[in-house]
Amino acid sequence: MEYKGLNDNKITVETGISNGLIGKARKRGGLSQENISKILYAYSDLDANWLFRGEGKMILGELKEENSQIEWEKIIKSQQELLDFKQHEIDRLKLQLKN
């Protein structure tokens, strides 16, 4: 709620959960599976595994961004290796022509 700037009222309006249920759930420590499903439907970037178990990333986009960054790093490294190889071959061929 803090991350998204939400309050109890805004969540009940956006999810269709009964008014006051969020506050009650906070006191007793949980929501029904039906209400959790409503939250996940309303906030589709929220990771269900995180919400149910407290494991993984809270926001799905963060995971995608992290994986995307890793892929770009691999691509950049691969391209640099290819450029280095080409330069080495160019230098070798120039030396051959010179000889």
Side-chain angles (χ1 to χ4, degrees), residues 16-32:
I17 293 174
S18 300
N19 195 17
L21 192 62
I22 300 294
K24 289 177 187 174
R26 192 179 294 112
K27 289 178 186 173
R28 69 171 186 247
L31 289 167
S32 70

Side-chain angles (χ1 to χ4, degrees), residues 39-82:
I39 290 171
L40 290 170
Y41 182 77
Y43 306 107
S44 59
D45 60 338
L46 191 60
D47 183 357
N49 194 42
W50 177 85
L51 190 60
F52 279 108
R53 299 179 184 176
E55 297 173 356
K57 299 276 187 178
M58 178 177 66
I59 303 297
L60 292 171
E62 292 177 356
L63 182 60
K64 289 178 186 171
E65 185 175 308
E66 181 180 288
N67 286 342
S68 176
Q69 182 64 29
I70 291 169
E71 292 303 313
W72 278 113
E73 288 171 1
K74 286 180 183 177
I75 291 169
I76 290 169
K77 182 179 179 186
S78 174
Q79 292 296 315
Q80 187 59 53
E81 288 171 355
L82 181 59

Side-chain angles (χ1 to χ4, degrees), residues 1-26 31 39 42-43:
M1 289 173 62
E2 184 179 320
Y3 177 82
K4 290 187 161 284
L6 301 170
N7 59 35
D8 292 5
N9 186 54
K10 189 168 184 177
I11 290 176
T12 58
V13 169
E14 292 180 351
T15 62
I17 293 174
S18 300
N19 195 17
L21 192 62
I22 300 294
K24 289 177 187 174
R26 192 179 294 112
L31 289 167
I39 290 171
Y43 306 107

Side-chain angles (χ1 to χ4, degrees), residues 83-96:
L83 289 171
D84 292 345
F85 175 76
K86 284 183 174 184
Q87 187 59 51
H88 176 73
E89 284 298 300
I90 290 169
D91 292 342
R92 187 183 65 79
L93 291 170
K94 282 181 179 178
L95 184 61
Q96 251 185 353

